[in-house]
Every structure is written in structure tokens, then in C-alpha cells.
Amino acid sequence: MEAEEVNHTPKGTEEIAPDKQPKPKRRAVKKIDIFKAWCKACGICVAFCPREVLAIDEEGYPFVKNLDACTGCGWCEIRCPDFAITVETRSKRKATKRGDGKEAG
Amino acid sequence: MPEVTRLIYKYLRHDKKFPHVWCPGCGTGIILGALIRAIDRTGYEKDDIVLVSGIGCSGRMPVYVDFNTLHTTHGRALTFATGIKLANPNLNVIVIMGDGDAMAIGGNHFIHAARRNIELTAIIVNNSIYGMTGGQYSPTTPYGMKATTAPYIHIEQEFKISELAVTAGAGFVGRGTVYHAKLLDGLIEKAILKKGFGVVEVISHCHVQYGKQNRLGSAVDMMKWQRDNAVTVQRAKRMKPEELEGRIIIGVLTDKELPIYQDEYDKVKERAKEGLSSLGG
């Protein structure tokens, strides 16, 4: 009877052939534009982002910290009092589509 | 092109007037955004819309939009709007007022416009204070809060704008907050499409005057307060009165079919013509 071959390589460290490697997850959002000329650094977009995509820099202005985490919900552009932020989503779904009263953030 | 950029190019005077005059974090900018989204959804042409405003921070709103606009005297926005609507009933007249504009100086005009049920849309920005003139208390300043004219607390009870509008006979009354901005889009859209007097009360924040004097924090803190204290109409029905104390009920408060002033006025005109022809033979 032949002994079963035991794999001693710890789990997760096996080498994967380059062609079989999983593709990086596709971002839901193309880009977030912050128009600094209109921005007044009130901090509303940063405070109510449900995924902590945005952060505040030394001068108090928002910047995009983690675009990969963005789901494209569009709450930052809806709540911006100065029309200074736009979210460009990859899909055709519009971020500002009809509200059903359910709120995020 | 992102949705917001499209709306800015279509409806705002983006090449002349921006950045706008309001303080950093002011809710009035969010309400302007909700207004242009709502108008975009109704599908009306820009030339069919008239935006009328009174005096105050909210009175600056017509400056930034590309509709027919009229910036009127303090408290008289509704009277000018009534005149526009009766002179040209095809126009869609939207009135932007602050709490001082609608409740104090123009309080009488407000209840009578609601009673007549004339086809106007009144958006009332309620920030509980006279922000532009230096933080004096307004009729909507709650009991026990401070203002420059009430340094030792305010001793009057506040006006409840939406409840007043319901009682005065408005066809549509809704209340929203600037935090719940998508709900606000829907409320303003419904009020514009409503045949009859449509009122949308928007709970906004003035962190520069009201917030500073009462130590309520920044614009973000005041919006968090709105988030934590707002209750939808549906949820409020299941809650006890003591649980609802100090809460804001948001959503559509009333939506009823009542005789509309313009229709009744047209009937009177017909009747008068008939009477005249019978007299003249």
C-alpha cells in the first residue's frame, strides 16, 4: 500500500502560476474629483463617507485616500454644499438616482 | 460626464458666481443641490420655472441658478409669487424662504397662501435663527436656546412650520433635513408636481450663529444631530408621544386634494362673463 503524499507547504504560501493568479478586483468607481477652487473645507464629505474613502489633509481639505474602497454611493457629492466633489462611476448606474428615503453614512 | 457636473452646467451660473457666498458647511448649498436635482427630475424647461426668494441667507439662492428669478423684499416672496402665478398660470413658481421670512415677517402671507391653496411650491429653510443679520432669535428658535437677542435663554415656544401649514390648509406638506438629502429631492419633486400649495420645510443648520452660541459644534456635528433625531413618518406612527419628544418627523406629512385657487378663479370669471352677456342681451 502506497503512503499518501503529504504536502508540508503551509497553506496560502503555495506558488500560483502567473496565468492562474486572481485578477485584482475591479474598482466600482473610476475617479473622485475634488474641485479645490469651490471647496471650503467643511469636512462633511469626509465625516459621512460610509467607507472612509476620503480623508482630511493638513490644510483641512479632503483628499482621496482609498479609492479601492469606494462603492460609488455618491453621498459625498449629494451632501457637498459647494458642488465641489464629483464621483465618476464605471457602470451606467447613476449615483444620484431616485432616492427611496434610505440613507447611508 | 458625472451626474453632478451635468446638473451644474445645465442649471447653475457656474462661470460667474461660484464659489457661493454661504459659510463653509452651510445647509443652504445642500438644499440648492436638492432643488436642482428635483427640478431636473420633473422635466420642466428652465424657462417655465420661476424661483422667487425673500431676504436672508436662503434669499441668495436665485443668484446662482439659471431660471427666471426674482429676489424680493423681506417676507413678501409669497405675495410676489402669487402675482406671478395669477398673471401667467403656465409658469411653475417656486418660492424659497427662510424661517424668518416665512414665519415672522411673512407669517401672515404664508398662512393665507396655504388657506387659498394656490398652486405654488414653498421651500422653507428652517435654521432656527436669523443667521445673516447676526444671530437674533427667530420664531422657530426653540425654547431654552440662546441667541444674540436672548443671551439668557429664549423663553418663547417655537413655531412648528409644517404643522401650521397642515392646519392652514396646504395641499402638500413635507418635512426633510439636509442630512437626508435624497429624501429631500423626492419631497421637493412631489411638491412641485402637486396641484395646489406645496410646502417643504427643510431642517437646516446654522453652525456659525446658532451652533456657536449654543455650543452645538461644527456643521458635521449638527448634521449628526439631524441623523440621530430624525424619525420617518412611518416609524413615528408606531412610537409613543413621549418617545417622539424632541424628535423631528420627516417625510410626507399631508397630501390631499383640495379645490385650487386658479381653477376656482377661472370659474368665477366664466360666471361673470355669463352674467354680463345676460345683462347686455
Side-chain angles (χ1 to χ4, degrees), chain B residues 2 14 40 44 61 65 106 113 118 150 167 181 191-192 208 269 278:
Chain B
H14 57 89
D40 189 60
Y44 284 115
M61 212 181 270
V65 292
I118 185 160
T167 318
I192 292 171
V208 175
K269 275 200 283 191
S278 68

Side-chain angles (χ1 to χ4, degrees), chain B residues 218-248:
Chain B
S218 64
V220 170
D221 295 325
M222 291 184 81
M223 280 177 80
K224 280 181 184 163
W225 179 87
Q226 292 167 11
R227 177 189 67 191
D228 299 338
N229 284 284
V231 182
T232 56
V233 174
Q234 293 82 3
R235 229 182 96 200
K237 276 181 191 157
R238 296 195 299 270
M239 287 166 77
K240 290 178 195 134
E242 56 267 24
E243 284 178 313
L244 284 171
E245 207 141 293
R247 297 293 193 99
I248 322 161

Side-chain angles (χ1 to χ4, degrees), chain B residues 79-97:
Chain B
T79 59
F80 282 88
T82 305
I84 294 166
K85 187 70 190 177
L86 288 179
N88 188 353
N90 296 324
L91 291 172
N92 212 294
V93 187
I94 302 168
V95 189
I96 289 273
M97 291 175 287

